[in-house]
Amino acid sequence: MATPSAAPEAFTRAVAGLQAATPRPEILLEEIPAPQRLAPYSFALSATVLRSGDEVASGRLILLHDPAGHEAWRGDLRLVTLVTAELEPDMAGDPLLPAVAWTWLTDALEQHTATFTAIGGTITQTASTRFGELAGPAPTADLEVRASWTPTSTDTAAHLLGWCAMLASTAGLPPPGVTALNDRHRVG
């Protein structure tokens, strides 16, 4: 991989956009090592979503850049994500959840005016019950979102904010400025 100073301007601008955006306080971002074999240039962030101090979702967002372009990407930049979140056990079997979770991503990108093309992905719901030597904890349920899309400009700040909004929805956070009823404290 080339040194950052030798990176193409399009990649440098795209990375700067991801670094400049500030998510809501419940979402903690951290730069992590990017995969080296997916594209000539790459950059990665991880996110942890906290609700009442507990980690309820996590994700990775990877920016790929191939100056020669990539036919399947329909461009020379690509954003790839993996998000996992805990679910309430009764939601794990909801047949509508995958379609709703997909709209959390597409709607969040559109609401933040993050223009894109060639979007695709999968939504997976799982429910786990432990037995035998692994028995003990209550059954768990999880949601996994794997997706990728091609930004149509190097202004990626809107993409990061849209991705963070999708993380917040996946984690069950209320909209910014709204306090969930179960998060309110009794007075008096």
Side-chain angles (χ1 to χ4, degrees), residues 7-173:
E9 184 179 339
F11 178 71
T12 303
R13 278 195 315 259
V15 168
L18 294 176
Q19 293 172 323
T22 303
R24 56 192 286 177
E26 302 95 335
I27 300 175
L28 308 175
L29 295 179
E30 179 182 6
E31 288 184 31
I32 59 172
Q36 300 297 308
R37 296 189 176 136
L38 299 177
Y41 301 91
S42 57
F43 175 81
L45 293 169
S46 72
T48 302
V49 183
L50 302 174
R51 185 175 58 222
S52 302
D54 295 325
E55 181 179 329
V56 292
S58 62
R60 290 186 307 243
L61 183 66
I62 301 167
L63 171 68
L64 304 174
H65 177 61
D66 186 341
H70 196 286
E71 186 177 330
W73 298 356
R74 292 190 227 149
D76 60 3
L77 292 171
R78 189 78 172 163
L79 287 166
V80 179
T81 190
L82 167 64
V83 172
T84 57
E86 297 176 13
L87 290 174
E88 295 297 325
D90 59 328
M91 289 184 67
D94 186 338
L96 299 177
L97 183 60
V100 170
W102 185 252
T103 64
W104 290 337
L105 174 61
T106 57
D107 289 355
L109 291 172
E110 290 170 4
Q111 288 169 357
H112 285 85
T113 62
T115 57
F116 58 89
T117 188
I119 192 168
T122 61
I123 309 292
T124 305
Q125 308 160 250
T126 60
S128 300
T129 304
R130 295 183 166 102
F131 297 95
E133 294 293 320
L134 298 177
T140 59
D142 297 295
L143 177 74
E144 181 180 274
V145 178
R146 292 178 182 267
S148 63
W149 64 94
T150 299
T152 56
S153 81
T154 57
D155 180 10
T156 55
H159 292 270
L160 180 79
L161 293 174
W163 179 69
C164 287
M166 184 268 299
L167 276 165
S169 294
T170 303
L173 296 180

